[in-house]
Amino acid sequence: MQEPKPAPDGQVADAVKDNWVDLYAPGPARPYLRLSRADRPIGTWLLLIPCWWGLALAIHFDGQMGLHDLWIALGCGVGAWLMRGAGCTWNDISDRDYDGAVERTRSRPIPAGQVSVTGAVVWMCLQALMAFGILLTFNTAAILLGVLALLPVAIYPFAKRFTWWPQVFLGLAFNWGALLAWTAHAGELGAPAVVLYCSGIAWTLFYDTIYAHQDTEDDALIGIRSTARLFGDKTGPWLRRFLVVTVGLMGLSVIFALQPGGNILAMVVALAGPWAMGWHMAWQLRGLDIENNDKLLQLFRCNRDTGFIPLIFFVAALLV
């Protein structure tokens, strides 16, 4: 019988198995890439997908599409990777004492002693500056929104210390791209983007409550608050409420964005997106087991697919 392959030196506990950082990244760079969660790409997708939602609906709203929209899509992709990395680095700097007391997070680079706090600060600033360089290629309104996005990012690591709803602050930060990408295309913020943003916040409450259930015992011991601890065994009904709000608000955003175009078929195709997304979220609820950490992590990670579902319909509606 073949013996199990040993874990790569310094691997973080919840990293994706055989990820590119552990397999191919140069040794000195690995702790910094792990600090940015490059070995756990789901967060980048969850930050990026609302950007692409906002861009697609903005194109529907004004009926204009050009090469600059391709750059917005690509720029959001690179920017999401960089800002997710900078945000996670800030989170780990802020939470370094708490992370060392939680089983799932004590292997992260700072509590594990792989990266100093000073090194982490330098790495965070480098990522943020590169992301700012991309932001400067957008219009003035989008640049201002991008700078304003730093506020919820800065607050989030501390939210779990003063509220039972830190997932709301994560939602405020992670779905900001819906506002930014819409504005980068349209030149100004529109009501459909704001409604879409609120839908994304409800979606974040859904998936991050699932994620937070992995740490409820350790969180209780060290006094960290979360919706997972708040809801407890009533998590299922709460997640169903978040599902309804996510789908309902996204549907309203689609209606507001596509109504000026007057294309009923495109409207029907685009509205199928939130409907299908809701079914995928319902499928997750059927498999929910708040006592099974492996299942919780699996469900959390599958939300990349959840977010892509409406995007596929939004893009398809552009072809109608």
Side-chain angles (χ1 to χ4, degrees):
M1 182 176 179
Q2 187 177 9
E3 296 201 8
K5 191 165 141 185
D9 185 38
Q11 184 181 50
V12 177
D14 57 354
V16 176
K17 184 180 178 183
D18 294 332
N19 65 83
W20 72 273
V21 173
D22 292 334
L23 292 178
Y24 306 115
R30 287 179 186 173
Y32 294 93
L33 291 170
R34 290 167 180 151
L35 196 59
S36 297
R37 312 287 199 273
D39 53 348
R40 286 152 285 168
I42 177 60
T44 300
W45 287 115
L46 296 175
L47 188 62
L48 173 59
I49 287 169
C51 299
W52 287 347
W53 289 349
L55 177 60
L57 291 188
I59 293 171
H60 278 292
F61 185 71
D62 64 12
Q64 304 294 319
M65 183 166 55
L67 284 177
H68 187 59
D69 294 311
L70 178 60
W71 167 243
I72 294 172
L74 292 174
C76 284
V78 179
W81 192 88
L82 289 168
M83 281 309 298
R84 190 257 183 146
C88 288
T89 303
W90 169 242
N91 185 79
D92 284 8
I93 292 169
S94 305
D95 282 354
R96 58 190 183 276
D97 296 329
Y98 290 105
D99 284 347
V102 176
E103 179 65 30
R104 186 179 58 84
T105 58
R106 63 177 49 139
S107 58
R108 288 178 176 175
I110 295 178
Q114 299 172 29
V115 177
S116 68
V117 174
T118 300
V121 170
V122 172
W123 178 235
M124 176 186 68
C125 292
L126 180 61
Q127 294 172 97
L129 284 172
M130 288 190 289
F132 185 63
I134 294 173
L135 183 64
L136 289 177
T137 67
F138 295 162
N139 57 51
T140 301
I143 293 171
L144 293 174
L145 270 176
V147 173
L148 189 60
L150 295 176
L151 184 60
V153 172
I155 294 173
Y156 168 65
F158 304 100
K160 54 185 170 286
R161 306 175 196 186
F162 63 80
T163 177
W164 287 99
W165 294 82
Q167 281 68 27
V168 171
F169 289 86
L170 182 67
L172 291 170
F174 256 59
N175 295 281
W176 200 271
L179 306 176
L180 195 150
W182 174 289
T183 305
H185 169 88
E188 61 182 6
L189 189 58
V194 176
V195 178
L196 182 66
Y197 177 57
C198 295
S199 171
I201 293 170
W203 179 43
T204 302
L205 279 161
F206 179 90
Y207 65 66
D208 204 60
T209 297
I210 293 173
Y211 184 76
H213 264 289
Q214 298 175 91
D215 301 326
T216 49
E217 291 185 8
D218 287 332
D219 285 351
L221 289 173
I222 60 178
I224 292 296
R225 302 174 185 180
S226 71
T227 49
R229 285 191 61 206
L230 178 64
F231 302 154
D233 58 6
K234 294 182 174 60
T235 290
W238 274 99
L239 294 183
R240 279 190 284 276
R241 294 182 186 115
F242 297 144
L243 184 164
V244 171
V245 174
T246 300
V247 173
L249 289 178
M250 186 178 288
L252 280 177
S253 178
V254 169
I255 292 170
F256 293 158
L258 274 72
Q259 186 272 333
N263 187 330
I264 299 301
L265 181 56
M267 177 86 73
V268 171
V269 172
L271 282 172
W275 176 82
M277 180 184 186
W279 277 108
H280 195 270
M281 295 169 74
W283 167 80
Q284 291 182 56
L285 282 176
R286 286 196 294 273
L288 182 67
D289 180 357
I290 62 173
E291 304 298 331
N292 185 336
N293 281 3
D294 290 338
K295 186 65 175 179
L296 291 167
L297 185 58
Q298 177 194 357
L299 290 175
F300 167 72
R301 286 176 174 168
C302 81
N303 275 275
R304 180 199 64 175
D305 300 337
T306 311
F308 265 117
I309 288 170
L311 180 64
I312 291 169
F313 284 92
F314 296 166
V315 173
L318 289 170
L319 305 175
V320 173

